[in-house]
Amino acid sequence: MTVQTKTEDCPVCQSSDDAGPGSDLVYGWIGCELCQRWFHPSCVNLSPHEIETISEYHCPDCAPKHGPSVLKRKSSRSRKKIDYIALNEGQQLREIDKHPHIDNFKMFENDRPLENLIYVVRPEVDGNESGLVTDSKLTQIIFETQLKRPILVPACNPALPNYKNCYDLTFNFPKMTVDQIAEEVGLDKELPVMDVLTQNNSPNWTLGKWRDYFKLKAQDRDRIRNVISLEVSQTKLNDKIELPKSVLDIDVVNKIFLACKSELEAHGIEKPKVSKYILMSVKDSFTDFHVDFGGTSVYYTILQGHKQFLMFPPTKRNLAAYEKWCLSDDQNSFWFGDLVPPTKPGKEPIDPAYMNNGVKIDIDAGDLLILPSGWIHSVYTPCDSVIVGGNFLNMLSLKNHLEVYKIEIDTKVPEKFKFPNFIKVIWLIGWFVMKNNNLTEFELECLSSLIPFYKSQLQDIENIDTADKYHKRIINRIKNSLPTSVIGKPADFVAEFERWYFLQTKKRKYDDM
């Protein structure tokens, strides 16, 4: 087969440009062995993978008379594509189209039926008199479980063909293709694209370039890549995506800015933009174990495709193992699941919702998953998939949010990978609840975590001179993040909040008598 760069015109497009329509310069031209004419591979619908299989090319005009192109002899021994980039960087020999942890992921099996590990919404159990699962019922489930276990709502998206007509839930997740997303957001939009093998972002990607990559056949993709952080709240898609009402009802950032938006914006405080992400994952994408920034909870729904989650609850021992794993030199060499100690009754006080040895969940198009705060999880994609998801802080999970923040400090997570303005938001929560006292008993109990957190931060600021260089940067960032124009002098605010909290808990006790 003859493949090279030529300067004569392609018989199909009449262009002498080396790069034919939609092609790349790896295979600029392909020559017919019979008529000796040269074609752009893209003009005769040949992919790089197909070109690799051809020994003698016959063009569309010659093939009907002389037979199809002659293919190379194929060895019965399968050949593995090696990741030479990783090899050159001194990492272990591995395949380029398979993350080394996928086999471990696939082998994991739940030790109990899924219904005993998470809350699966069932219309026959959770439906009202008309058999419908409503917003109020889903919110009730969230509060009854205290958002400690994953909640799965199967086939609940009316925009998709597998919708089960037994839901009355308020949200809008329209069916969208990658082409439609690219057109709505903009082909020139820069976006972070993860290289699945290294778990690092690749530079110089636009949404247009990503669209073209996503549409390639699996065998024609140079590497496995994944988009997991395209936030679209400032694009045309913002008005087309509506979060579940039950999520908005418990999202404390949404509550604060819904009630106090003008006041906060007058002080230059803007709402963090973390609630509307588009994820686009090609077949065999894999995101290694992680905890979402700030220990945020997550809503997650698939528009097309399929996903698998493997997750471990945020017990004290699991989080310690996670922190150790994060600090290891080469996470690709260690399967996090091997570091997780088995959960056994009596070993340590464990919340009943966390009494498991890991949970594996399959999520199909149309399903809605609500992932609780702090759960350590990895995600595998068995087929090309498009997803909408978002992160949210909530008062039910304050203790976890603050614990994960500490882990992020200890593991030196870069600022760009943290929840935007996390410290500012945490201090605004105390300010907000004193202005708008509409809390459940459990939410009030959860607020107790704020008092030692506030005091600890003030103490760190006071003792900054004794801190090392890294922690001085952290403390200065904390000091600059305090919303003093809203809360006033931090020490006075903490004293006021502590008095308010004491009076509220005392009042609740008297009311219960």
Side-chain angles (χ1 to χ4, degrees):
M1 178 191 66
T2 307
V3 177
Q4 63 181 55
T5 299
K6 293 287 291 180
T7 57
E8 62 188 58
D9 291 347
C10 169
V12 178
C13 70
Q14 307 301 317
S15 170
S16 61
D17 192 341
D18 274 345
S23 71
D24 58 43
L25 289 177
V26 176
Y27 297 108
W29 297 81
I30 185 168
C32 177
E33 300 289 345
L34 299 173
C35 67
Q36 304 301 308
R37 292 183 300 168
W38 293 82
F39 300 81
H40 291 127
S42 59
C43 290
V44 288
N45 299 317
L46 286 178
S47 69
H49 172 73
E50 290 169 321
I51 292 173
E52 291 284 358
T53 67
I54 296 174
S55 173
E56 180 181 302
Y57 176 63
H58 296 176
C59 73
D61 292 333
C62 295
K65 304 174 187 176
H66 303 283
S69 301
V70 179
L71 303 182
K72 296 176 182 177
R73 290 183 60 189
K74 185 176 180 180
S75 171
S76 59
R77 297 175 61 185
S78 61
R79 297 176 61 190
K80 296 182 178 180
K81 297 165 69 177
I82 303 302
D83 184 1
Y84 290 103
I85 293 178
L87 197 60
N88 289 337
E89 293 176 353
Q91 299 184 31
Q92 294 179 346
L93 183 69
R94 62 192 184 200
E95 298 173 54
I96 199 171
D97 53 359
K98 183 179 180 182
H99 190 279
H101 292 337
I102 287 178
D103 286 340
N104 286 316
F105 185 103
K106 289 182 176 180
M107 286 190 294
F108 182 92
E109 294 183 356
N110 292 326
D111 57 10
R112 279 170 282 164
L114 185 64
E115 293 77 10
N116 296 340
L117 295 167
I118 71 171
Y119 194 105
V120 180
V121 174
R122 294 178 294 169
E124 64 272 20
V125 174
D126 301 306
N128 59 15
E129 293 178 355
S130 302
L132 298 176
V133 178
T134 62
D135 293 321
S136 59
K137 181 60 181 181
L138 184 53
T139 301
Q140 179 186 336
I141 292 169
I142 289 172
F143 276 96
E144 286 179 350
T145 62
Q146 299 176 353
L147 201 53
K148 292 181 177 180
R149 288 198 293 163
I151 299 171
L152 180 63
V153 191
C156 63
N157 187 352
L160 300 185
N162 66 336
Y163 171 66
K164 294 180 180 178
N165 192 22
C166 49
Y167 297 101
D168 184 18
L169 299 175
T170 305
F171 61 75
N172 188 43
F173 299 123
K175 185 176 182 180
M176 292 183 288
T177 65
V178 173
D179 277 319
Q180 291 169 327
I181 293 166
E183 290 297 328
E184 292 283 351
V185 177
L187 298 178
D188 295 330
K189 169 74 174 178
E190 294 183 358
L191 77 166
V193 175
M194 176 190 286
D195 182 322
V196 168
L197 269 295
T198 65
Q199 297 287 290
N200 294 322
N201 283 337
S202 303
N204 305 321
W205 280 81
T206 64
L207 194 44
K209 181 179 177 181
W210 171 259
R211 176 201 60 185
D212 295 342
Y213 165 84
F214 193 92
K215 292 169 69 174
L216 291 172
K217 295 178 181 178
Q219 63 265 28
D220 293 332
R221 295 166 180 155
D222 60 336
R223 299 175 69 82
I224 302 175
R225 304 180 189 275
N226 196 7
V227 169
I228 59 174
S229 53
L230 174 61
E231 218 283 337
V232 297
S233 61
Q234 292 184 296
T235 73
K236 294 178 182 178
L237 288 179
N238 180 59
D239 294 335
K240 296 185 177 182
I241 297 172
E242 181 182 353
L243 274 63
K245 184 178 184 302
S246 297
V247 169
L248 292 173
D249 286 346
I250 64 168
D251 180 347
V252 68
V253 174
N254 179 66
K255 285 184 174 183
I256 291 172
F257 280 84
L258 195 62
C260 312
K261 181 180 179 181
S262 58
E263 183 177 358
L264 293 173
E265 288 183 348
H267 292 282
I269 300 174
E270 295 185 355
K271 182 180 180 180
K273 296 173 176 61
V274 296
S275 62
K276 294 182 180 180
Y277 287 100
I278 297 288
L279 298 83
M280 296 170 281
S281 306
V282 301
K283 180 181 182 295
D284 288 326
S285 288
F286 177 79
T287 306
D288 215 339
F289 284 97
H290 63 285
V291 176
D292 281 274
F293 50 28
T296 45
S297 301
V298 175
Y299 78 87
Y300 195 94
T301 188
I302 297 180
L303 303 183
Q304 68 176 65
H306 183 83
K307 286 276 188 174
Q308 291 181 315
F309 277 67
L310 175 54
M311 57 189 75
F312 294 93
T315 64
K316 184 177 180 180
R317 291 196 300 166
N318 286 355
L319 289 175
Y322 174 71
E323 185 169 344
K324 178 182 178 182
W325 181 73
C326 287
L327 292 170
S328 64
D329 292 333
D330 184 11
Q331 294 173 1
N332 275 344
S333 300
F334 299 96
W335 170 243
F336 172 70
D338 290 340
L339 302 178
V340 177
T343 299
K344 296 180 180 179
K347 275 278 185 179
E348 62 172 295
I350 296 179
D351 191 296
Y354 297 163
M355 282 295 296
N356 63 70
N357 291 301
V359 181
K360 192 174 187 179
I361 306 176
D362 282 83
I363 308 173
D364 292 311
D367 293 351
L368 172 66
L369 174 69
I370 300 177
L371 180 64
S373 165
W375 280 63
I376 308 157
H377 58 285
S378 60
V379 189
Y380 173 64
T381 310
C383 61
D384 292 357
S385 302
V386 177
I387 304 97
V388 176
N391 301 72
F392 59 98
L393 298 167
N394 66 90
M395 284 187 276
L396 301 175
S397 308
L398 270 177
K399 184 178 179 181
N400 282 350
H401 295 325
L402 301 180
E403 179 66 27
V404 172
Y405 167 77
K406 181 179 181 300
I407 291 174
E408 290 175 343
I409 298 296
D410 292 343
T411 57
K412 299 185 177 180
V413 173
E415 284 300 310
K416 64 180 179 179
F417 297 128
K418 294 179 182 177
F419 187 94
N421 295 321
F422 180 82
I423 294 301
K424 194 182 299 291
V425 169
I426 293 299
W427 282 75
L428 286 174
I429 290 174
W431 168 80
F432 173 73
V433 295
M434 286 194 290
K435 287 168 61 75
N436 301 269
N437 182 13
N438 184 23
L439 303 168
T440 67
E441 186 173 344
F442 183 68
E443 285 178 313
L444 182 63
E445 181 183 333
C446 292
L447 285 174
S448 64
S449 300
L450 290 179
I451 297 171
F453 182 79
Y454 291 158
K455 289 182 176 180
S456 174
Q457 293 211 314
L458 293 184
Q459 187 173 14
D460 287 342
I461 293 171
E462 185 178 345
N463 299 328
I464 188 171
D465 291 338
T466 63
D468 59 33
K469 186 176 180 180
Y470 169 70
H471 285 93
K472 278 182 179 177
R473 287 201 305 270
I474 297 295
I475 295 168
N476 276 320
R477 197 170 288 124
I478 291 170
K479 185 177 180 179
N480 294 330
S481 297
L482 299 183
T484 52
S485 62
V486 176
I487 66 172
K489 188 176 179 181
D492 293 344
F493 167 79
V494 173
E496 181 187 1
F497 179 76
E498 189 169 18
R499 285 194 299 271
W500 173 88
Y501 185 79
F502 173 76
L503 289 173
Q504 291 300 314
T505 53
K506 188 175 181 180
K507 182 177 181 297
R508 294 286 177 106
K509 287 180 181 178
Y510 281 128
D511 290 344
D512 292 339
M513 291 177 65

